[in-house]
Amino acid sequence: MSRSPSSPAPSGADSVTRIAEGYAFDGPALDLGALLWGDGTGLACRPDVPVRVPLAVLNRHGLVAGATGTGKTKTLQLLAEQLSDQGVPVFLADIKGDVSGISAPGAANDKVRQRAAEVGQDWSPAGFPAEFYALGGIGTGVPLRATVTDFGPVLLAKVLGLNPTQEQSLGLIFHYADGKGLELFDLKDLRAVVAFLTSDEGRPELKGIGGLSSQTAGVILRALTAFEQQGAGPFFGEPAFDTAELLRTGPDGRGIVSVLELPAVQDKPQLFSTFLMWLLADLFHDLPEVGDLDRPKLVFFFDEAHLLFKGASKAFLESITQTVRLIRSKGVGIFFVTQSPRDVPADVLGQLGSRVQHALRAFTPDDAKALKATVSTFPVSPYDLEEVLTGLGTGEAVVTVLSEKGAPTPVAAVRLRAPRSLMGPVDAAALEGAVRASGLYGRYAQAVDRESAYEKLTAAAAAAPAGAPPEEPAKRPEAERPEPSLVEQVVGSGVFKSLARSVGTQLGREITRSLFGTSRGRRR
């Protein structure tokens, strides 16, 4: 039965002992902070009872939640620092622009010293190796781009706001472009293929596999135009980013913290949230199965996670759920960061083994309902969680994680440690200098526009005699085209595609596109 920590049960000492034993791990672990427990006058900090999370279970995913201003960003920073120290690369999405300070030593002040003393932390300032990225080079960072083919039809449909029927038509367009050698590098390539397939010359091309209605094509073209007018064009093109860059460690063995700077694109939330999902899908496609490791290969922090799920189609949500479930075996851990656990679908929430729940507010009936729903997701504990969650201060949270044996640890209210790096952004000049000094800057800074679908279709139309249909671009003469091999016939069959979608076999994972229709075949 739950009890208020301000009025501990007679078995309070036993509860503290049980919590202490629950967080006493043998292997490497990250230190979250010190236990908060009731002493008759409220919650008191117990530096003798540290609360930790085993490094080996961080590929089991997690959730950091709480109201605005409760300290979620500092929790990310604290976790990222310790992961880096343990040799684990980290990816952070910096929505507000205040995580760049992780690359610089923090500043000692009275608040930091007080927090360190309260939780028993031996605090010293430290900066951590970091790379800074910006979507399409908009903002300060190494430009991070993907080709339209990389992104794939499922994720692109999500960004464009297409309904399921329009999404299927977009998939048909990608299928046609793939088969005809029409490379989709940027948005003008995709627009050119859509326009061709609805022209008198191109309309017959898709008749045998369902066709493309003028109405649906018009919706897709209008969505693409609006998307470009919002400034999304630079995100798509070459050189395409190789997500293997996120798995690097520094010369000293510490994990590189990859920070995606997003303040310049805060007005395009659906784009950056979907782009983050592409990064995960691309990693899933490339990484081998490794099972459970003693430490993850990468931990990925997905900030503003509610944007990913808002308005998502059923197919998209199913793909997210499957990616989250399966990428664990690739050694990648994901932390979703959002205001309320209700922002995350139940099927995804059920896979998040580590929970760091900051304070929640209960100012309205909806808030009260959300609070009760959050409490119901925690294991039974001696705390009155409704009271605790509404009374936590900044930098405090209710925690439960998975033990080294995979069982949930006891619920613990925690005062979190102070990050060792700078708790705020670095100077703009220092950030710019760090970006230009990066070894990746020369590789990705300059955009490249190779010949692709737009140029090929334009050239074919210009070369065609007046009134005659243009030559089919990149189509080999019938005599030169070999009969499809058995493998090609099998891969093209509906049965195989169905199996691949369910990721039922290793063959399906390796030959076909990943769960989101992303592709890596174009990289040279």
Side-chain angles (χ1 to χ4, degrees):
M1 179 173 149
S2 295
R3 293 180 180 269
S4 166
S6 61
S7 303
S11 60
D14 292 338
S15 295
V16 171
T17 300
R18 190 173 68 87
I19 292 172
E21 291 173 348
Y23 290 92
F25 307 120
D26 296 327
L30 308 187
D31 292 305
L32 296 177
L35 179 70
L36 290 171
W37 187 254
D39 61 357
T41 58
L43 290 172
C45 196
R46 295 283 304 267
D48 58 318
V49 185
V51 175
R52 312 162 75 216
V53 54
L55 187 62
V57 304
L58 287 177
N59 68 329
R60 304 291 183 95
H61 313 320
L63 175 73
V64 178
T68 301
T70 55
K72 296 191 299 294
T73 300
K74 298 302 176 283
T75 298
L76 305 191
Q77 197 167 339
L78 175 67
L79 294 172
E81 291 176 354
Q82 295 184 69
L83 285 164
S84 176
D85 263 343
Q86 296 274 7
V88 178
V90 176
F91 178 90
L92 288 172
D94 188 6
I95 306 294
K96 299 183 290 293
D98 55 1
V99 184
S100 59
I102 198 167
S103 62
N109 55 43
D110 290 342
K111 286 185 177 180
V112 169
R113 283 188 284 266
Q114 180 182 352
R115 175 60 63 103
E118 289 171 347
V119 301
Q121 178 183 8
D122 184 14
W123 188 91
S124 61
F128 297 82
E131 290 277 6
F132 298 98
Y133 299 97
L135 286 184
I138 297 179
T140 305
V142 173
L144 198 160
R145 305 181 187 88
T147 70
V148 170
T149 293
D150 291 345
F151 216 67
V154 178
L155 286 173
L156 190 59
K158 159 72 172 169
V159 175
L160 297 178
L162 304 183
N163 65 33
T165 300
Q166 294 155 358
E167 179 182 320
Q168 291 169 7
S169 294
L170 187 62
L172 195 62
I173 294 165
F174 272 70
H175 173 77
Y176 173 80
D178 284 348
K180 298 297 182 180
L182 295 170
E183 298 88 350
L184 302 177
F185 291 154
D186 51 30
L187 294 180
K188 73 177 185 297
D189 290 326
L190 180 57
R191 193 189 308 106
V193 173
V194 176
F196 172 72
L197 290 174
T198 53
S199 67
D200 290 340
E201 297 82 8
R203 195 173 292 114
E205 292 289 312
L206 295 183
K207 275 190 175 179
I209 50 175
L212 175 66
S213 73
S214 298
Q215 183 179 5
T216 298
V219 171
I220 294 172
L221 287 172
R222 287 193 296 274
L224 285 172
T225 300
F227 195 41
E228 287 187 289
Q229 288 175 345
Q230 294 170 10
F235 304 124
F236 297 93
E238 293 188 305
F241 182 69
D242 185 351
T243 50
E245 309 284 10
L246 303 178
L247 302 173
R248 296 178 299 130
T249 56
D252 59 0
R254 291 189 296 174
I256 300 293
V257 181
S258 298
V259 182
L260 179 58
E261 292 291 318
L262 293 168
V265 293
Q266 285 192 61
D267 59 337
K268 304 174 183 66
Q270 195 170 60
L271 174 64
F272 69 67
S273 67
T274 312
F275 208 98
L276 295 184
M277 201 66 226
W278 167 75
L279 290 176
L280 276 180
D282 203 64
L283 283 166
F284 174 84
H285 184 276
D286 278 6
L287 290 174
E289 298 276 345
V290 293
D292 290 324
L293 303 173
D294 60 352
R295 66 193 62 221
K297 289 186 174 183
L298 171 73
V299 176
F300 193 103
F301 289 92
F302 209 126
D303 205 359
E304 301 293 341
H306 65 282
L307 298 171
L308 179 69
F309 303 110
K310 184 179 180 181
S313 68
K314 181 180 178 182
F316 185 82
L317 291 175
E318 288 173 351
S319 296
I320 291 175
T321 303
Q322 202 161 17
T323 300
V324 171
R325 180 181 298 119
L326 296 172
I327 204 169
R328 178 182 72 80
S329 64
K330 306 291 186 96
V332 177
I334 307 167
F335 271 78
F336 290 98
V337 186
T338 189
Q339 292 196 12
S340 169
R342 294 202 308 173
D343 297 334
V344 181
D347 287 346
V348 175
L349 190 63
Q351 299 177 54
L352 309 184
S354 297
R355 299 279 299 277
V356 181
Q357 178 65 61
H358 288 266
L360 290 173
R361 310 304 181 208
F363 299 142
T364 69
D366 284 345
D367 290 342
K369 185 176 179 181
L371 175 62
K372 288 183 180 296
T374 299
V375 168
S376 70
T377 65
F378 279 90
V380 174
S381 81
Y383 291 101
D384 181 342
L385 288 180
E386 288 191 33
E387 180 178 330
V388 171
L389 285 172
T390 54
L392 291 171
T394 301
E396 297 175 347
V398 170
V399 170
T400 181
V401 302
L402 292 181
S403 70
E404 292 166 314
K405 296 180 179 179
T409 58
V411 175
V414 180
R415 182 161 294 158
L416 297 164
R417 289 184 164 216
R420 299 172 62 200
S421 56
L422 184 65
M423 288 189 277
V426 297
D427 178 80
L431 181 59
E432 181 69 31
V435 171
R436 292 188 175 274
S438 168
L440 302 180
Y441 188 78
R443 192 179 311 167
Y444 294 108
Q446 187 62 47
V448 176
D449 188 10
R450 288 194 291 152
E451 182 186 56
S452 49
Y454 173 80
E455 289 80 11
K456 289 181 178 180
L457 289 170
T458 301
E471 295 182 12
E472 291 186 4
K475 185 175 181 180
R476 295 162 63 181
E478 199 69 37
E480 296 181 16
R481 215 177 311 134
E483 288 294 319
S485 68
L486 178 61
V487 171
E488 290 170 332
Q489 293 178 47
V490 172
V491 171
S493 72
V495 172
F496 182 86
K497 290 176 181 176
S498 176
L499 287 173
R501 276 195 297 272
S502 65
V503 199
T505 64
Q506 181 66 26
L507 181 64
R509 287 194 293 272
E510 295 299 325
I511 296 180
T512 66
R513 290 178 171 187
S514 73
L515 297 173
F516 280 98
T518 57
S519 174
R520 289 291 298 268
R522 85 285 176 246
R523 290 187 181 153
R524 292 170 171 79

